[in-house]
Amino acid sequence: MKLIAESIDIGTRSPTVLLNEADAAELGVHALERIQLQRDGRTTIGIVELTDELISEGTLGVTRRLGHIDGPVEVSVAPQPNSVYYIRKKLDDIELEHRELERIVRDIYEERLADIELGAYVSAIYTNGLSMEETMHLTSCMANIGETISWNDSIIADKHSIGGVAGNRVTPILVSIIAAAGVKIPKTSSRAVTSASGTADTMEVFCDVEFSIEEIREIVKETGGCLVWGGAVNLSPVDDQIIRAETPLSLDPKGQLIASVLSKKKSAGSTHAVIDIPYGEGAKVESLAEARELAEDFNRVSEHLGMTIECAITSGSAPVGRGIGPVLEAREVLATLDGEGPNDLRVKAIRLADLLFESVGVDADATEILDSGAAQETFREILAAQNGDPDVAVSDLSLGRHTHIVRADRDGVVTHINNRLVNEVGRRAGAPKDHGAGLELHRCVGEETESGESLVTVYAESSDKLADAVDLLERIEMVRVRHPDEALVDRV
Amino acid sequence: MKLIAESIDIGTRSPTVLLNEADAAELGVHALERIQLQRDGRTTIGIVELTDELISEGTLGVTRRLGHIDGPVEVSVAPQPNSVYYIRKKLDDIELEHRELERIVRDIYEERLADIELGAYVSAIYTNGLSMEETMHLTSCMANIGETISWNDSIIADKHSIGGVAGNRVTPILVSIIAAAGVKIPKTSSRAVTSASGTADTMEVFCDVEFSIEEIREIVKETGGCLVWGGAVNLSPVDDQIIRAETPLSLDPKGQLIASVLSKKKSAGSTHAVIDIPYGEGAKVESLAEARELAEDFNRVSEHLGMTIECAITSGSAPVGRGIGPVLEAREVLATLDGEGPNDLRVKAIRLADLLFESVGVDADATEILDSGAAQETFREILAAQNGDPDVAVSDLSLGRHTHIVRADRDGVVTHINNRLVNEVGRRAGAPKDHGAGLELHRCVGEETESGESLVTVYAESSDKLADAVDLLERIEMVRVRHPDEALVDRV
């Protein structure tokens, strides 16, 4: 059927097209089914929504996601994508071949899969798992799609945390240490998905984080490193789609996690990386044994890809650092580079940096680089290169002026701080969108407190959002305080 | 956030709302995320799509699916529906409790689940299965949601086929026989999803098929039966949603199938039903053992629901009847009621009707009712009650005028007719939308043919669609003809 395409101003995550109901009936398609648009020998897939009046008969409404399509197009029912059969095969718990995984990855990339099918894909991977062979293939396929960055250097360092720990803003410190030692580290980071701040959100307090690959190249040439948002470049774009499907169900199957992390590293041109695997109560990985197994799998897949990685198994049962939220974390990063800042954050950054030095075979000492001020200097150079103020001071970074203090309701010891709840309170308070929102922890796990002493200060930029956060705080136990006598054995 | 709702003419399968990007950023929601709209103490869930211009800041575009919502509404991020946790639990292969299944069914009904989550639900059920206990609970939950019909009769008969066989238009004949014996049989049927015609499509050749529950009651009161489209009434509406999610992946897990069929029967007020379970090469159930197991499960779940059913295990490896497509099937139905028509269709209708008589304990003989003309008379009464022409004759029903004949390419015996391909050719030829499109089989399985003899005639209402069907026919072997010497053992 020939239709006249016209742009329509709707932004969707799927490549939606609007069809008049009469045309849809003629074509024999229903809402959410796929049609293909052909013009000039190019084929585009669209997902159908119906309208009576918004689009008249003979016309096709093309939403933003499909790009600019104008004028006559040939429209027909799109064939079922082959990957649907392979997803079903995986649901039948049969190992997928290389070409089948490749087809799935390509169909996801080309947005040929509807959300129902994408939901089935992540469910199949979650419930039936991926073999080591499948994980390796999947990682390669994902890394080879979208943009890649190639460097002329034999060593490109990188760092990743599998996440789940509040605060934990190690990356800016580590990147500054590594770059200061003359090892290139072009770091792309994510924004928060379910946490109160991602590295990209925290860096945005200081400077711009959205750059093209060419601009990234310039920044790294100038400073040895960068701290940018990965979402602005098209590295392993399939990963973003898969994460979108995993998020609502909180699925994060091991094989897919490894493929996600390493495909991003590979497409960024990294040769060496340190992977932070936090484990413990409330972390993504609960036991040390699981953490070790995951580390081994990471090692095997990276070997297959020709990358060298070091996995660091770290404590993940409580936040790292005392500030959670963009400005609070930015302040701690600056303070730590200044030789101050919370000790756990400092020690973790140093330890991971040293592991990375060891991995790339560079004889450098992270403590020395940090204490000499060299790391701080490099950090400020990166800020300048990313259009930030290189002379920024902690006092320039302002917090939300609405505050609430959480106080201990008894004398005792802090036995647990719940990462997930800390993040949730931070998000309710407005983080990461409101940079000045977040939480400051006054007591860490193992520290003593007295009834009435402040445990946490919550910051917000609006009183409404603060009230929202307080409302949640009143219903949960975010910080667990127990009498010293009962601190070791918790009643359930 | 307070927004002014206004209707926008877009018909979607999901409850889509259009948000201006500025408002979405303020709320912190992205495309495809859920928001809740509150007004007058009622809460509605909407799925977000974004726009820059179509909807201005401060306004919320409400699509048709959400009904009429106008004026100020309070908009906030919707909480994650609890059923997401239960779907994940099922993916972990843990049996679900009654209340958990109930929550899933209710969230599907209220459209609180996004497509990704619905995809995960059908995947979880498919890959990890449902226990007998779960199937029973699920069926009850599904039957109790949406509309139900209650009758003042102690016996309400019903019939269902699990599908997969082309042609097979047994229902109108069976309903006429049963109703003619004075047993009430208010039959709701589906339209074709992947086949060339459903019972509702075939009946539409004769009369209207969309009626309200009140109208159905009237028709049944008058004639003892009806032959209407189930989609026009809201019986077990969750079933429709689940089928929509199963279709793209061709998933049809046993427990869900039983729940789908029996919840529809239960909510229609049926007390007795015969279930047609076709088995064989290319059917939904491939082996006799599987068919028996399915029949046993059907029996156990129906017992739990307080229904009496009889399962008929029938041959499903080839089409039943010789016509496939709305008009071709309608002609055969009329012919069979006239004492003519293909023998397999006649015998199957009689056999299933006798089983149903046995089940309800009515001493009647289907052959007698059919041969006496009583069934035909009842059928014509139903046509009249459903606004059709009670005097319709086979010659009134016209076929598409574009035809193509498939000829045998050798002397031999027809060893197989592929149901799936027959349906696909029929759909390409325009069925079920074009009532006159379809296929007429001139040779059945086991019959001899000579090279050059016609095996099948394809009918279409447009030459384009005929060309489409012929294009497929040239690439496939829809009717398998083998030399008598090789008829029994097929080379693969």
Side-chain angles (χ1 to χ4, degrees), chain A residues 94-295:
Chain A
I94 302 169
E95 184 149 350
L96 297 181
E97 292 169 32
H98 194 164
R99 60 167 189 89
E100 294 169 338
L101 285 163
E102 203 175 336
R103 186 30 59 204
I104 292 175
V105 168
R106 185 147 291 280
D107 282 342
I108 295 176
Y109 178 61
E110 289 169 359
E111 295 184 325
R112 283 176 182 263
L113 293 188
D115 276 359
I116 282 179
E117 294 149 356
L118 211 51
Y121 169 71
V122 296
S123 301
I125 300 297
Y126 175 76
T127 192
N128 291 328
L130 286 170
S131 70
M132 184 46 56
E133 185 87 2
E134 287 175 314
T135 305
M136 286 175 182
H137 285 324
L138 179 62
T139 311
S140 305
C141 295
M142 286 175 66
N144 290 335
I145 272 186
E147 296 194 69
T148 53
I149 316 185
S150 55
W151 305 88
N152 288 326
D153 310 74
S154 58
I155 294 175
I156 294 293
D158 210 336
K159 180 259 173 191
H160 189 88
S161 168
I162 68 163
V165 177
N168 198 27
R169 203 50 58 220
V170 169
T171 300
I173 306 164
L174 175 135
V175 166
S176 305
I177 295 172
I178 301 294
V183 176
K184 280 198 184 153
I185 181 161
K187 179 78 183 91
T188 60
S189 301
S190 52
R191 291 188 191 278
V193 179
T194 55
S195 72
S197 187
T199 295
D201 300 306
T202 299
M203 284 309 297
E204 212 169 27
V205 171
F206 295 115
C207 59
D208 293 346
V209 296
E210 301 192 19
F211 294 98
S212 69
I213 288 181
E214 262 329 294
E215 290 166 329
I216 290 175
R217 233 182 249 291
E218 274 308 303
I219 299 166
V220 174
K221 197 172 150 193
E222 220 172 287
T223 69
C226 70
L227 285 153
V228 303
W229 178 46
V233 282
N234 202 25
L235 300 172
S236 189
V238 169
D239 181 41
D240 304 331
Q241 293 269 27
I242 292 173
I243 286 175
R244 178 174 77 79
E246 290 175 338
T247 305
L249 293 147
S250 306
L251 301 180
D252 202 357
K254 194 178 71 172
Q256 188 63 58
L257 169 69
I258 293 173
S260 287
V261 171
L262 293 182
S263 67
K264 284 270 194 223
K265 302 290 137 203
K266 183 71 184 171
S267 61
S270 308
T271 60
H272 295 72
V274 60
I275 311 284
D276 175 16
I277 303 179
Y279 82 99
E281 183 182 347
K284 278 196 187 170
V285 177
E286 296 254 335
S287 74
L288 185 57
E290 259 183 280
R292 285 203 173 119
E293 201 186 301
L294 182 60

Side-chain angles (χ1 to χ4, degrees), chain B residues 421-456:
Chain B
L421 294 176
V422 165
N423 275 317
E424 212 168 315
V425 169
R427 286 183 75 88
R428 286 203 176 210
K433 210 181 139 272
D434 299 346
H435 284 170
L439 297 86
E440 194 176 356
L441 310 175
H442 305 302
R443 288 283 174 280
C444 289
V445 172
E447 291 182 346
E448 287 189 17
T449 185
E450 278 172 33
S451 179
E453 258 189 358
S454 58
L455 296 173
V456 178

Side-chain angles (χ1 to χ4, degrees), chain B residues 103-220:
Chain B
R103 185 31 56 202
I104 292 175
V105 168
R106 184 143 295 275
D107 281 342
I108 294 175
Y109 179 61
E110 289 170 358
E111 296 183 322
R112 284 175 182 263
L113 293 189
D115 277 359
I116 282 179
E117 294 148 357
L118 211 51
Y121 169 72
V122 296
S123 300
I125 301 298
Y126 175 76
T127 193
N128 291 328
L130 286 170
S131 70
M132 184 46 57
E133 184 85 3
E134 286 175 314
T135 305
M136 287 175 181
H137 285 324
L138 179 63
T139 311
S140 306
C141 295
M142 286 174 65
N144 290 335
I145 272 188
E147 296 194 69
T148 53
I149 316 185
S150 55
W151 304 87
N152 289 325
D153 310 74
S154 57
I155 293 175
I156 295 294
D158 210 337
K159 178 257 174 192
H160 188 88
S161 167
I162 68 163
V165 177
N168 198 29
R169 205 49 58 219
V170 168
T171 300
I173 306 163
L174 175 135
V175 166
S176 305
I177 295 172
I178 301 293
V183 177
K184 279 199 184 151
I185 181 162
K187 178 79 182 92
T188 60
S189 302
S190 53
R191 293 189 189 276
V193 179
T194 55
S195 72
S197 187
T199 295
D201 301 306
T202 299
M203 285 309 298
E204 211 168 28
V205 171
F206 296 113
C207 59
D208 293 345
V209 296
E210 302 192 19
F211 295 97
S212 68
I213 288 181
E214 262 329 293
E215 290 167 327
I216 289 175
R217 234 182 248 291
E218 272 309 302
I219 298 166
V220 175

Side-chain angles (χ1 to χ4, degrees), chain A residues 9 11 50 53 88 92 248 250, chain B residues 9 11 50-51 53 88 126 250:
Chain A
D9 171 50
L50 303 176
E53 291 168 18
R88 197 188 146 127
D92 285 329
S250 306
Chain B
D9 170 50
L50 302 177
T51 176
E53 291 167 18
R88 197 188 145 128
Y126 175 76
S250 305

